[in-house]
């Protein structure tokens, strides 16, 4: 049996992130020369190991680009009132342009209340209802970082979405739904699939662009992909050996797709990069 020749070109999220972060660093320098240092406050409640890694990478990204970075860590038994009070103080702190509360929060805290407590002007995660409404209506606002990163990846390959069929698998508020709206805004025809979709393969086979944002391995296999399609893999899962992998069967799909993002090294690094972009833009708006 001969080994199939890969058709897909890789969209390298690490290289694209580096390029974008260089641009961010230059814009930070320009802003600093006007007396403003972009500041991001990250709040972590509890000891979730994955959250600790994410937060560490966000702080490092900030420092590497010359941002002012504040990390506030609290015990898992922090009350909701205490967290809301901290957010209120950061909302009023002029040195802070972006506020991020790392999710999930412990069960005594209502995550929706936390998201809505952050000032929309500092909502650099793009999860606030005002941000969601701005995206929905095409008004300026902060876009959620992961789907925003996916759009940058499509832009990086010069992909014109006009008239193309995009299929998004997953409908969460932080990835699937905003992803669909962003693709729609760029004139794609968009289908959103989810756990109750009757025939996922029938949908994905029609797609020019597929975004997989489910959180399950091998949701998308080679037989579900139209030759030449662009495949963006948002999923972050572990295989039997504990190795990080996405939702897409990369080994199979790379022999059918036109472009594909790897995991790791694809959408993941782009998410933090877009957080830096949003924070920088929040700071730039204060300088207008
Ligand atoms: P989520 O809130 O759990 O949403 C998952 C979505 O997948 C839901 O809409 C669910 O449908 C749908 N779904 C579940 N099983 C399905 C199936 N068999 N077929 C089709 N759809 C199915 O997850 P999320 O927060 O959007 O995250 C999705 C994945 O992306 C996770 O692996 C997460 O770790 C990863 N992620 C990565 C980054 C990054 O930076 N790379 C950032 C955020 C998230 P229902 O709505 O019907 O339940």
């Amino acid at each position: 049996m001969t080994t199939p020749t890969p058709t897909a070109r890789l969209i390298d999220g690490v290289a694209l992130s580096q390029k974008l972060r260089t641009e961010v660093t230059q814009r930070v320098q320009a802003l600093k020369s006007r007396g403003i240092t972009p500041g991001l406050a990250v709040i972590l409640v509890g000891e979730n190991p994955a959250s600790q890694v994410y937060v560490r990478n966000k702080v490092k990204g900030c420092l590497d680009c010359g941002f002012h970075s504040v990390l506030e860590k609290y015990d898992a038994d922090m009350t909701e009132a205490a967290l809301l009070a901290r957010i209120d103080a950061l909302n009023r702190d002029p040195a802070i342009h972006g506020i991020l509360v790392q999710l999930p929060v412990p069960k005594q805290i209502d995550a929706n209340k936390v998201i809505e407590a952050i000032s929309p002007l500092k909502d650099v995660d793009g999860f606030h209802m005002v941000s969601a409404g701005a995206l929905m209506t095409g008004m300026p606002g902060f876009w959620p970082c992961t789907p925003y990163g996916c759009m940058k990846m499509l832009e990086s390959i010069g992909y014109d979405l006009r008239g193309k069929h995009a299929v998004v698998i997953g409908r969460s508020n932080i990835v699937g739904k905003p992803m669909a709206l962003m693709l729609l805004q760029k004139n794609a025809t968009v289908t959103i699939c989810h756990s109750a979709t009757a025939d996922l393969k029938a949908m994905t086979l029609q797609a020019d662009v597929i975004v997989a944002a489910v959180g399950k391995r091998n949701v998308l296999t080679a037989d579900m992909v139209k030759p030449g399609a662009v495949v963006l893999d948002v999923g972050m899962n572990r295989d039997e050996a504990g190795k990080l992998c996405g939702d897409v069967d990369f080994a199979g799909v790379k022999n059918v797709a036109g472009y594909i993002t790897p995991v790791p090294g694809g959408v993941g690094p782009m998410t933090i990069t877009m957080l830096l972009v949003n924070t920088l833009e929040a700071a730039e708006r204060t300088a207008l």
Side-chain angles (χ1 to χ4, degrees):
M1 212 175 93
T2 53
T3 315
T5 318
T7 54
R9 293 172 66 181
L10 219 58
I11 310 179
D12 182 343
V14 175
L16 181 56
S17 276
Q18 268 163 6
K19 182 171 168 276
L20 293 173
R21 289 187 198 199
T22 302
E23 290 167 16
V24 166
T25 306
Q26 286 162 357
R27 278 165 65 189
V28 169
Q29 292 312 323
L31 206 54
K32 278 183 170 175
S33 69
R34 299 169 63 190
I36 300 166
T37 301
L40 176 69
V42 177
I43 300 180
L44 175 63
V45 186
E47 306 283 324
N48 182 320
S51 293
Q52 289 185 352
V53 175
Y54 296 148
V55 161
R56 207 166 38 238
N57 289 336
K58 287 169 188 176
V59 170
K60 184 177 182 309
C62 278
L63 296 174
D64 287 350
C65 290
F67 286 64
H68 167 56
S69 170
V70 174
L71 172 59
E72 298 191 7
K73 286 186 177 182
Y74 297 102
D75 292 339
D77 61 359
M78 185 186 208
T79 63
E80 184 180 276
L83 178 55
L84 295 177
R86 273 315 300 148
I87 293 170
D88 183 47
L90 291 166
N91 279 339
R92 286 182 280 106
D93 183 344
I96 296 300
H97 303 95
I99 303 168
L100 180 157
V101 178
Q102 185 65 47
L103 300 177
V105 282
K107 58 181 181 319
Q108 74 276 14
I109 298 172
D110 180 343
N112 287 324
K113 268 197 199 167
V114 169
I115 290 167
E116 299 313 321
I118 295 170
S119 162
L121 298 173
K122 300 189 178 187
D123 176 39
V124 288
D125 250 344
F127 296 167
H128 195 284
M129 269 194 283
V130 168
S131 303
L135 173 59
M136 173 107 190
T137 53
M139 300 292 283
F142 295 113
W143 284 7
C145 303
T146 301
Y148 192 9
C150 290
M151 293 305 285
K152 284 284 171 194
M153 292 180 117
L154 290 173
E155 198 183 301
S156 76
I157 59 167
Y159 195 81
D160 183 5
L161 283 158
R162 173 175 286 274
K164 298 293 196 314
H165 187 184
V167 170
V168 179
I169 319 175
R171 57 173 165 181
S172 71
N173 289 338
I174 63 169
V175 189
K177 280 186 211 159
M179 184 78 250
L181 288 168
M182 290 174 202
L183 293 161
L184 185 64
Q185 202 177 94
K186 292 288 178 193
N187 297 311
T189 300
V190 183
T191 301
I192 307 176
C193 299
H194 44 77
S195 66
T197 297
D199 188 348
L200 182 62
K201 181 176 173 180
M203 297 296 133
T204 57
L205 274 176
Q206 297 173 38
D208 302 302
V209 176
I210 304 171
V211 182
V214 174
K216 288 181 186 158
R217 281 177 65 200
N218 299 333
V219 156
L220 192 76
T221 48
D223 58 315
M224 300 168 75
V225 178
K226 183 166 82 173
V230 178
V231 176
L232 306 182
D233 191 352
V234 176
M236 288 206 312
N237 312 297
R238 297 272 165 195
D239 68 12
E240 300 89 353
K243 224 174 116 243
L244 191 65
C245 64
D247 290 347
V248 174
D249 171 27
F250 184 85
V253 172
K254 75 176 188 322
N255 301 320
V256 185
Y259 283 93
I260 191 166
T261 63
V263 178
V267 175
M270 291 299 294
T271 297
I272 297 184
T273 300
M274 300 325 292
L275 173 70
L276 300 173
V277 169
N278 278 349
T279 305
L280 172 63
E281 283 176 5
E284 285 175 341
R285 284 177 204 175
T286 66
L288 291 177

